[in-house]
Amino acid sequence: MINEDKIRKACSSDRERGFRLLVDSFQEPIYNYIRRMVVSHEDAEDVLQEVFIRVFRHLDQFRNESSLSTWIYRIATNECLRLLNSRKEEVISAEDVQEELMSKLKADYVDYEDELAVKFQEAILTLPEKQRIVFNLRYYDELEYEDIARVLDSKVETLKVNYHYAKDKIKEYILNR
């Protein structure tokens, strides 16, 4: 369990030490979230580095309007989307981006001994961007809908619908492939 109060106090008294504590506390869960979004380890490492650079630069602007973790997830989400959108500009279509993510998934991400896990990850990658983000934040990171709403600047009801549709699409994908 991450003690956000301890991190905030450390950041206010000794910015460098506080930031190290912040990175030590959030590096693993944020990396895992980013990795699920961008798939490739190399891309995830690059995005993670950019996330913590932005956190460090803007730490004094954090206004405690949400939890520290929500703020960091929002930055991570924005950085993932920035990377994925830059890929969309490089390739012809969103389908090409999805195909690229699938090939990366198959190249270095999944334990092929577990066929269901492979299908599950493929199903997640077929989701529209917003549904994929909501699903990852809720299912894997176990964020409450209220926190996801702050991360995505969205309404809780909309997110619940997105999560429901995502679950249905994943189920359909697994059963029909």
Side-chain angles (χ1 to χ4, degrees), residues 82-98:
R82 183 174 288 123
L83 175 75
L84 294 172
N85 288 334
S86 74
R87 297 274 164 78
K88 286 178 188 175
E89 292 169 6
E90 294 170 8
V91 290
I92 297 169
S93 67
E95 290 82 24
D96 291 338
V97 172
Q98 193 173 50

Side-chain angles (χ1 to χ4, degrees), residues 51-69:
V51 166
F52 284 116
I53 288 170
R54 289 190 185 277
V55 167
F56 184 74
R57 284 184 182 155
H58 302 288
L59 198 52
D60 56 337
Q61 296 171 6
F62 177 66
R63 297 181 302 254
N64 294 317
E65 292 174 355
S66 65
S67 68
L68 190 56
S69 62

Side-chain angles (χ1 to χ4, degrees), residues 70-85:
T70 299
W71 183 64
I72 295 171
Y73 272 103
R74 184 175 191 143
I75 293 169
T77 300
N78 290 340
E79 288 304 312
C80 288
L81 293 175
R82 183 174 288 123
L83 175 75
L84 294 172
N85 288 334

Side-chain angles (χ1 to χ4, degrees), residues 57-150:
R57 284 184 182 155
H58 302 288
L59 198 52
D60 56 337
Q61 296 171 6
F62 177 66
R63 297 181 302 254
N64 294 317
E65 292 174 355
S66 65
S67 68
L68 190 56
S69 62
T70 299
W71 183 64
I72 295 171
Y73 272 103
R74 184 175 191 143
I75 293 169
T77 300
N78 290 340
E79 288 304 312
C80 288
L81 293 175
R82 183 174 288 123
L83 175 75
L84 294 172
N85 288 334
S86 74
R87 297 274 164 78
K88 286 178 188 175
E89 292 169 6
E90 294 170 8
V91 290
I92 297 169
S93 67
E95 290 82 24
D96 291 338
V97 172
Q98 193 173 50
E99 192 174 304
E100 179 186 346
L101 291 174
M102 284 282 201
S103 67
K104 286 180 181 178
L105 173 74
K106 292 176 181 175
D108 69 349
Y109 189 55
V110 175
D111 172 13
Y112 283 96
E113 300 298 314
D114 188 350
E115 187 178 326
L116 186 57
V118 173
K119 278 188 176 181
F120 187 65
Q121 292 303 316
E122 287 176 348
I124 292 169
L125 289 177
T126 65
L127 296 172
E129 195 170 78
K130 185 161 186 179
Q131 288 178 11
R132 187 160 37 105
I133 293 168
V134 171
F135 185 83
N136 282 328
L137 289 171
R138 181 76 178 144
Y139 182 82
Y140 286 109
D141 298 299
E142 300 177 351
L143 267 62
E144 297 294 328
Y145 285 111
E146 291 76 15
D147 292 328
I148 299 171
R150 288 185 200 95

